[in-house]
Amino acid sequence: MLAQLIFNGLVSGLLIALPALSLALVFSVLRFANYAIGAMVTTGAYLVYAFNGPLNWPLPLAVAAGIALSIALALLLNRLVFAPLRGRSGVTLLVASIGVGLVLENLVRLVAGNAPRGFGAEIARPARLLGLRVNQEQLITLVCVLAALALVWLVFRFTRLGRAMQAVADNPDLADVRGISRKKVTATVWALAAAMATLSGVLIGLDSNVDPQMGWNYLLPVFTAAILGGIGSPMAAVAGALLLGVTEELATLFLPPHYRTVVAFVVMAVLLLLRPHGLFGAKWVRK
Amino acid sequence: MTSYLIATLVLVVIATLSGLALNLQWGLGGLVNFGLFGFYMLGAYACSLLQMQGLPPLAAMLLALLLTAAASALVSLISVRLSEDYLAIVTLGFAESLRLFISYEEWLTRGTLGIPNIVRPFAELVPTAWRDLFFLGFCLVWLALVFVVLQRLARSPFGRLLRATREDAGVAEALGKNVLWVRARSFALGGAILGIAGSLHAFYYTYIDPTQFTTILTAYAFMAVILGGRGSHAGVLVAGFTVILLLEGSRMLAGVIPWLDGSQLAAIRLSLVGVLLLAMLIFKPNGLLPEYRLGPRPQES
């Protein structure tokens, strides 16, 4: 029973790991809290749904197409909104991202309406693994998120752009002097952020439904996860997400499940009072 | 038509009050409050629930105002050692948690059923025909009061201190000012103003439920402050009118584009709010009326 709860918690933690990583990545490189992350999750899920539902493409193909489109959208938003505001305070960018979120979410509503939708996936019996009941969605989540995380890690670790991102995160001025292209790094960050948000949107959609509120409902847990890890350290956000997922699941033992958000808030409040730099506060760039 | 005008003006006053509260916290103090709608909701609910307990409307409103002030101060303390970005998410978390609490704790709040039959102050003294106009007057009195208090505050030593902590909290701290205390006080006062706005909301609609309170309220307030010019109370006054006129005006879209249904229209209007917010930030960051300042205007940091 307890093992099952912990397993469920880890998987629901994986659902918020990608947006949390995306949030922390944008924060550490572009220096602002991207409030639009929830809307990016929603928009990504709907883009994939557009290919999977009305156009009837197979899901993997639809995911690829949806990710490509959402990357294009993120780059467009960067050009239109965030690039003109570069150099302004983090708070200004934060307020701009609330505007971006508002526009994205309501465009989704305008086009797709308020009714929840589902991806075309067959329902399968839960499998038994080491005495745990594992749903098909959980398995898909596990595989997809771990693969995505591995991919992001490889990009950070072994590519020039990955090192450039770390350099900009560490010291933007120094990176400038060393001739690292801010433009390229920024574009890469947005592309990665959008891709991760979209993938998690699809997984959340498979787990429950696709609806215009979905990203918003995950906003607070995502921020909590990122803060838990230490918002300036992207990979720690993943650990924060897992920890939060397990905490939320264990909290259902003595709190009704609709209070998940409250659990996230309380965890965050306590953490901010006791250990404001996150549980894993050391900066990831100093390796 | 007159009643429509009065209704719109009441909405303008409520929106302007929210804008003024945000202007104090964010415009003057640099503290981002994304959970604005939560404090507003707290004010509305406290006022209505206290009234249900038999308190006269005005007394309920005053108590609600004190409660939101206290809640605001407490929430601002969570971010004791942190920068402004964290406060944004902490206030949002507070507001969301509160909305969930109100939606599910039916024994206290009647949950999604909402609270009906809220009575306006002095309602029994005024003839029915004059009731709405009288209530508009009541709202305007509060607006005037808040405006005068804020205007005096902005030019007082406390206002200067607030701006100093906005520009550079470290310097203010080094000069021996207790930054945390300054912030908690400005948050409390802003909370009280939101308590007033929330109470007026409850009085105006005479019925409240959790769906009336969403982040849109926060977005309107941000729009009012950015449009008016951060830190400028007079600017917010002008902007409150402009924002509501724009939103009310966009209702007319229904006549122009008849094939849209209600929720699509709402979606268009909200996207419009977002687009305007972004356009203001990018093209006119100082707003319509610049802030009152001593000495030269520094560059935006």
Side-chain angles (χ1 to χ4, degrees):
Chain A
M1 176 64 190
L2 194 65
Q4 182 74 51
L5 275 184
I6 291 177
F7 174 75
N8 290 349
L10 285 175
V11 175
S12 60
L14 283 176
L15 281 182
I16 49 178
L18 290 180
L21 176 56
S22 158
L23 182 72
L25 184 64
V26 170
F27 188 87
S28 62
V29 179
L30 306 178
R31 310 268 156 181
F32 77 98
N34 179 24
Y35 192 83
I37 184 69
M40 282 167 72
V41 169
T42 310
T43 316
Y46 269 94
L47 285 175
V48 173
Y49 176 79
F51 289 105
N52 182 237
L55 292 180
N56 215 4
W57 291 18
L59 194 53
L61 204 61
V63 170
I67 286 181
L69 265 187
S70 68
I71 288 177
L73 182 64
L75 293 180
L76 182 72
L77 282 172
N78 179 40
R79 274 289 285 282
L80 288 180
V81 178
F82 295 111
L85 290 174
R86 178 153 315 134
R88 304 271 289 277
S89 71
V91 174
T92 304
L93 284 160
L94 182 73
V95 175
S97 70
I98 188 183
V100 168
L102 203 61
V103 174
L104 283 181
E105 247 175 44
N106 283 292
L107 287 182
V108 165
R109 258 175 231 267
L110 179 67
V111 176
N114 282 319
R117 326 213 165 215
F119 288 111
E122 304 106 67
I123 295 162
R125 289 169 66 89
R128 287 256 158 210
L129 259 178
L130 305 168
L132 293 172
R133 209 156 43 100
V134 182
N135 294 330
Q136 196 194 18
E137 302 89 64
Q138 289 183 314
L139 211 60
I140 295 174
T141 303
L142 203 70
V143 172
C144 285
V145 174
L146 289 181
L149 289 177
L151 199 67
V152 174
W153 184 76
L154 287 176
V155 169
F156 278 147
R157 191 82 178 73
F158 293 109
T159 67
R160 282 182 67 88
L161 266 174
R163 281 199 298 274
M165 273 189 274
Q166 295 186 36
V168 175
D170 209 20
N171 188 336
D173 295 332
L174 189 60
D176 252 359
V177 174
R178 295 282 292 135
I180 289 173
S181 159
R182 270 295 255 300
K183 259 196 174 143
K184 250 192 203 160
V185 168
T186 310
T188 316
V189 166
W190 278 117
L192 276 175
M196 286 190 281
T198 303
L199 185 58
S200 75
V202 175
L203 295 172
I204 290 169
L206 280 172
D207 187 53
S208 50
N209 279 321
V210 180
D211 75 275
Q213 274 289 116
M214 59 190 284
W216 167 253
N217 291 339
Y218 276 85
L219 191 63
L220 213 56
V222 166
F223 265 88
T224 307
I227 293 174
L228 260 173
I231 195 165
S233 26
M235 280 308 182
V238 177
L242 294 178
L243 202 62
L244 181 67
V246 173
T247 314
E248 282 188 344
E249 202 66 42
L250 291 179
T252 56
L253 285 174
F254 43 90
L255 265 182
H258 51 243
Y259 277 146
R260 271 168 179 267
T261 308
V262 181
V263 175
F265 173 63
V266 171
V267 168
M268 177 164 62
V270 170
L271 188 84
L272 287 180
L273 283 171
L274 298 180
R275 209 180 145 75
H277 298 296
L279 293 177
F280 316 100
K283 282 195 83 178
W284 63 297
V285 278
R286 301 218 184 93
K287 274 180 196 152
Chain B
M1 189 61 207
T2 329
S3 65
Y4 179 67
L5 198 67
I6 293 176
T8 309
L9 284 176
V10 169
L11 290 182
V12 166
V13 172
I14 296 177
T16 309
L17 279 170
S18 313
L20 286 173
L22 183 69
N23 193 35
L24 171 68
Q25 295 173 340
W26 181 52
L28 286 179
L31 302 171
V32 192
N33 183 357
F34 275 3
L36 204 122
F37 74 98
F39 300 103
Y40 181 94
M41 172 169 55
L42 185 64
Y45 262 89
C47 177
S48 316
L49 287 170
L50 286 168
Q51 219 189 80
M52 258 169 69
Q53 297 305 310
L55 246 68
L58 197 61
M61 181 179 180
L62 292 175
L63 271 178
L65 182 162
L66 290 178
L67 185 70
T68 42
S72 276
L74 278 180
V75 171
S76 77
L77 290 184
I78 295 181
S79 58
V80 181
R81 292 182 271 178
L82 302 162
S83 66
E84 301 86 352
D85 319 17
Y86 285 91
L87 194 58
I89 194 71
V90 166
T91 49
L92 180 72
F94 170 77
E96 265 299 290
S97 302
L98 189 70
R99 201 172 58 80
L100 284 174
F101 182 82
I102 286 175
S103 307
Y104 288 107
E105 299 304 312
E106 285 153 11
W107 57 274
L108 181 67
T109 61
R110 292 170 49 88
T112 45
L113 285 176
I115 303 176
N117 304 328
I118 300 162
V119 184
R120 292 179 185 169
F122 313 113
E124 69 283 357
L125 303 178
V126 189
T128 322
W130 294 92
R131 219 156 254 182
D132 282 353
L133 195 62
F134 178 80
F135 184 65
L136 175 62
F138 181 75
C139 293
L140 283 171
V141 169
W142 278 106
L143 180 62
L145 188 72
V146 166
F147 185 76
V148 169
V149 168
L150 286 179
Q151 204 66 354
R152 292 194 67 109
L153 182 111
R155 292 163 195 241
S156 73
F158 182 71
R160 287 197 293 279
L161 189 53
L162 207 51
R163 277 193 289 267
T165 59
R166 173 189 69 189
E167 302 299 333
D168 195 328
V171 169
E173 192 95 54
L175 289 170
K177 309 294 183 192
N178 187 341
V179 170
L180 181 62
W181 180 227
V182 173
R183 289 183 167 171
R185 272 192 292 171
S186 73
F187 236 69
L189 185 56
I193 298 171
L194 288 172
I196 296 171
S199 302
L200 293 178
H201 173 110
F203 288 142
Y204 172 63
Y205 289 101
T206 67
Y207 163 81
I208 55 169
D209 72 53
T211 59
Q212 295 172 358
F213 307 95
T214 61
T215 30
I216 286 313
L217 295 169
T218 307
Y220 290 169
F222 268 96
M223 215 169 125
V225 173
I226 292 169
L227 195 66
R230 270 184 76 179
S232 158
H233 298 309
V236 175
L237 222 50
V238 178
F241 274 88
T242 320
V243 170
I244 294 296
L245 283 182
L246 270 173
L247 290 172
E248 285 299 315
S250 65
R251 276 187 204 283
M252 310 301 173
L253 277 175
V256 187
I257 323 173
W259 64 84
L260 293 172
D261 66 27
S263 70
Q264 283 177 316
L265 205 63
I268 291 190
R269 292 170 61 199
L270 295 180
S271 321
L272 213 68
V273 173
V275 170
L276 279 172
L277 197 68
L278 293 173
M280 286 301 294
L281 275 177
I282 295 170
F283 299 113
K284 206 152 176 20
N286 289 328
L288 299 173
L289 293 177
E291 175 185 5
Y292 159 84
R293 269 177 183 281
L294 295 164
R297 171 174 294 276
Q299 295 303 305
E300 218 241 348
S301 56

